Amino acid sequence: MQQYSGFGLLKHSLSHHENWQRVWRNPTPKKKYDVIIVGGGGHGLATAYYLAKQFGVTNVAVIEKGYLGGGNTARNTTIVRSNYLWDESAHLYEHAMKLWEGLSQDLNYNVMFSQRGCLNLGHTLQDMRDIERRVNANRLNGIDGEVLDAKQVSEIVPILDCSDNARYPVMGASWQPRAGVARHDAVAWGFARGADMHGVDLIQQTEVTDFIIEDGTVTGVKTDRYGDIMADKVGCVVAGHSSVMAAKAGFELPLESHPLQALVSEPIKPILDTVVMSNHVHGYASQSDKGDLVIGAGIDSYVGYGQRGSYPTIEHTVQAIVEMFPIFSRVRMNRQWGGIVDTCPDACPIISKTPVKNLFFNCGWGTGGFKATPGSGNVFAASLAKGEMHEMAEPFSMFRFHNGALIDEHGAAGVAH
Amino acid sequence: MFYIYCPYCGEHREEEEFHNHGQAHIERPADPDSCTDEEWGNYMFFRKSPKGLHHEIWDHVAGCRKFFNVTRDTVTYEIKEVYKMGEQPKVVAE
């Protein structure tokens, strides 16, 4: 596989860029693999990549119903941060952040990771207390963070309405300078290319219709296009459809799938050079390199698989943005879309063994999975390679909902995404 | 945008007047102290998330403020039926 470089770009320009190799193969699956990953989104592809590269398990297939990175990986608002409150989640997201910081070099693929910082605004006294607590917790976990007052916030984002006249005046914010955004599609493509380079078969447009389970142990999967494909271990990374897949394997997960919407505006000149999030007013925005404002907010309250959201939610989202940034009131929205997020009762993921032996699930990332993509893939790959959960994944067992060891990141993490 | 029929008001109203409260027909264990951790965990945290027919509770918060049940398809978002608390659904998944 060819390496990308500035020199390569120059060389290919001489042949009018017509001779680039295909980025990955399109293989016919083998009869049996060591590991099958169900779901070719960011997390699944990252899992395959680290399995092959770091843990030497190269006899791996990723089976994807649609096309690679076509689900939530392509539908999120691309924010990356690691300022979570509790030790378990802070370690996991910070692990991801450290991988993000070297990801473009590692993959030889520009994921356009831009550490432009992230503000989580506080609008009430309680917000500010929570922010102080979270920033202190972050620092104890070696994660960068600062508590800013309203004046410092307005210096970073002059267009933010920090006046006393706002409906919910900004009192301050937490600031994580290492946070930022990344190009979401490039992340999926980069991991796909890297996985393919190390021998992983990427099987697209093939739906896993069922698991083959003998005596409580998974031995393979049934597909609609290639029949049965056997595997020693199966990792299921299907986000919004996790409940559906778990039902096929004969157990339940504590997940509810909801539509989560995002929207982008028409491209405008550079105006917002950081990420601004507010739990209280409930909206968040950043500006892409192309110039469009990338905007998101809350999930639709009901269970849904429709990959489209409700109109009142869009309205609330846009209200929040205009409340924070009055200057955006005349900006027109260009596109809007919805993804299906699998939300967990404690707003933390499930990276876990299941009641079925050798079947592993990585799900429940809810509204904030994108930021964890490399870390999630890395610890899941380690777990699949060993057959035992990685120490960072251990606390995220699905059995925590029975033994009570929840990791309550609701609100505490500044959970808006 | 849902257009939801409130069985108490006897009228169709827009989605914004209502709140969704998730899965319907969850019964609190009669004797919580005798529950195993698994039974209690299932009651507390495990919810159905079907791709297809779903029975759920809605609350007419900006109207009569009463709870009622809705059977809805989670893919097409079509509302199949609306029925009062205490009643059983007529439209059920096979």
Side-chain angles (χ1 to χ4, degrees):
Chain A
M1 182 66 74
Q2 64 191 355
Q3 289 285 316
Y4 294 146
S5 65
F7 177 72
L9 203 60
L10 194 69
K11 195 180 87 183
H12 279 280
S13 71
L14 298 175
S15 55
H16 305 282
H17 295 291
E18 283 171 356
N19 295 319
W20 290 99
Q21 281 178 21
R22 282 197 176 272
V23 181
W24 51 75
R25 299 166 293 131
N26 212 358
T28 307
K30 297 181 228 170
K31 287 275 165 248
K32 186 172 183 305
Y33 289 94
D34 293 344
V35 177
I36 285 178
I37 310 288
V38 184
H43 289 231
L45 293 166
T47 306
Y49 172 73
Y50 287 114
L51 261 176
K53 182 172 183 241
Q54 194 175 339
F55 301 101
V57 186
T58 53
N59 188 21
V60 176
V62 177
I63 304 182
E64 163 59 41
K65 181 168 75 171
Y67 56 94
L68 299 177
N72 293 347
T73 305
R75 292 161 192 269
N76 60 79
T77 47
T78 77
I79 298 166
V80 174
R81 59 185 178 89
S82 62
N83 53 354
Y84 278 67
L85 175 69
W86 299 106
D87 291 352
E88 295 87 349
S89 34
H91 292 159
L92 185 60
Y93 289 103
E94 180 61 16
H95 180 53
M97 179 64 88
K98 291 204 171 112
L99 290 169
W100 276 114
E101 286 174 329
L103 197 60
S104 291
Q105 287 74 18
D106 186 33
L107 293 175
N108 178 235
Y109 200 95
N110 187 5
V111 298
M112 295 166 75
F113 182 48
S114 156
Q115 292 179 291
R116 55 184 67 181
C118 176
L119 285 165
N120 289 86
L121 303 180
H123 301 266
T124 66
L125 207 52
Q126 188 59 47
D127 274 0
M128 291 314 296
R129 288 177 183 141
D130 289 341
I131 282 169
E132 273 177 42
R133 179 186 181 207
R134 180 161 49 77
V135 167
N136 282 323
N138 290 161
R139 287 183 163 201
L140 289 172
N141 275 321
I143 298 167
D144 58 327
E146 283 171 55
V147 181
L148 305 183
D149 62 24
K151 190 163 167 290
Q152 290 167 306
V153 172
S154 71
E155 276 163 16
I156 294 174
V157 191
I159 56 167
L160 184 69
D161 183 4
C162 291
S163 71
D164 292 337
N165 299 329
R167 173 78 177 82
Y168 302 103
V170 174
M171 294 179 72
S174 75
W175 170 240
Q176 187 184 16
R178 282 161 68 237
V181 293
R183 170 92 165 89
H184 50 5
D185 294 323
V187 176
W189 298 334
F191 274 123
R193 174 172 170 268
D196 180 82
M197 219 187 267
H198 288 93
V200 173
D201 284 352
L202 308 172
I203 318 292
Q204 299 184 67
Q205 291 174 342
T206 305
E207 183 176 355
V208 171
T209 53
D210 208 350
F211 297 105
I212 305 169
I213 297 169
E214 289 164 14
D215 300 328
T217 306
V218 74
T219 56
V221 296
K222 291 185 200 295
T223 66
D224 60 349
R225 239 177 104 188
Y226 296 107
D228 296 357
I229 306 175
M230 310 313 282
D232 293 335
K233 290 173 203 150
V234 177
C236 193
V237 200
V238 297
H241 280 70
S242 295
S243 312
V244 177
M245 294 309 286
K248 289 186 200 294
F251 59 91
E252 286 192 336
L253 290 168
L255 301 175
E256 277 190 331
S257 294
H258 292 266
L260 174 66
Q261 301 185 75
L263 43 158
V264 293
S265 74
E266 58 190 341
I268 53 177
K269 287 190 175 175
I271 189 163
L272 182 60
D273 62 357
T274 184
V275 181
V276 179
M277 315 179 73
S278 164
N279 264 3
H280 198 84
V281 181
H282 209 183
Y284 44 96
S286 63
Q287 189 173 20
S288 76
D289 292 348
K290 208 166 61 181
D292 31 13
L293 300 167
V294 185
I295 291 167
I299 54 173
D300 287 7
S301 63
Y302 47 80
V303 172
Y305 287 86
Q307 291 197 327
R308 60 188 181 277
S310 71
Y311 197 75
T313 307
I314 303 173
E315 205 171 356
H316 286 304
T317 306
V318 175
Q319 276 169 358
I321 296 303
V322 175
E323 164 69 27
M324 291 193 282
F325 302 99
I327 196 173
F328 292 159
S329 64
R330 301 293 173 88
V331 175
R332 282 166 298 184
M333 292 300 140
N334 225 356
R335 290 179 292 122
Q336 164 272 342
W337 62 93
I340 306 305
V341 296
D342 42 336
T343 57
C344 219
D346 60 356
C348 273
I350 291 172
I351 312 171
S352 179
K353 291 184 179 184
T354 65
V356 179
K357 198 160 175 267
N358 292 341
L359 176 61
F360 298 75
F361 264 66
N362 183 351
C363 58
W365 290 92
T367 56
F370 177 74
K371 66 174 83 68
T373 304
S376 156
N378 192 265
V379 299
F380 197 49
S383 309
L384 281 166
K386 258 180 133 183
E388 291 300 324
M389 298 319 291
H390 185 271
E391 58 173 355
M392 264 186 230
E394 194 79 43
F396 297 95
S397 159
M398 66 177 279
F399 302 105
R400 71 179 186 268
F401 299 95
H402 288 143
N403 64 25
L406 304 186
I407 308 156
D408 184 10
E409 283 290 356
H410 267 298
V415 174
H417 303 272
Chain B
M1 169 78 83
F2 290 126
Y3 204 44
I4 301 171
Y5 180 81
C6 172
Y8 298 98
C9 299
E11 277 181 34
H12 281 89
R13 292 298 182 90
E14 287 181 0
E15 176 184 340
E16 274 185 293
E17 288 194 15
F18 299 88
H19 270 186
N20 180 291
H21 284 271
Q23 188 188 333
H25 306 296
I26 297 170
E27 241 176 81
R28 184 183 162 88
D31 182 11
D33 289 341
S34 69
C35 281
T36 61
D37 287 350
E38 202 174 337
E39 285 166 348
W40 188 249
N42 286 346
Y43 162 68
M44 286 290 284
F45 300 117
F46 284 68
R47 296 290 177 266
K48 292 200 161 52
S49 184
K51 192 176 183 181
L53 285 185
H54 188 41
H55 308 292
E56 56 194 8
I57 299 178
W58 286 79
D59 178 4
H60 195 181
V61 280
C64 63
R65 301 172 70 191
K66 283 184 178 144
F67 290 92
F68 57 93
N69 299 311
V70 170
T71 304
R72 184 176 58 87
D73 191 307
T74 58
V75 182
T76 64
Y77 293 174
E78 187 192 349
I79 293 173
K80 303 284 187 184
E81 65 171 331
V82 173
Y83 54 103
K84 292 180 181 174
M85 299 307 287
E87 294 176 0
Q88 290 299 313
K90 291 191 190 70
V91 185
V92 288
E94 284 160 19

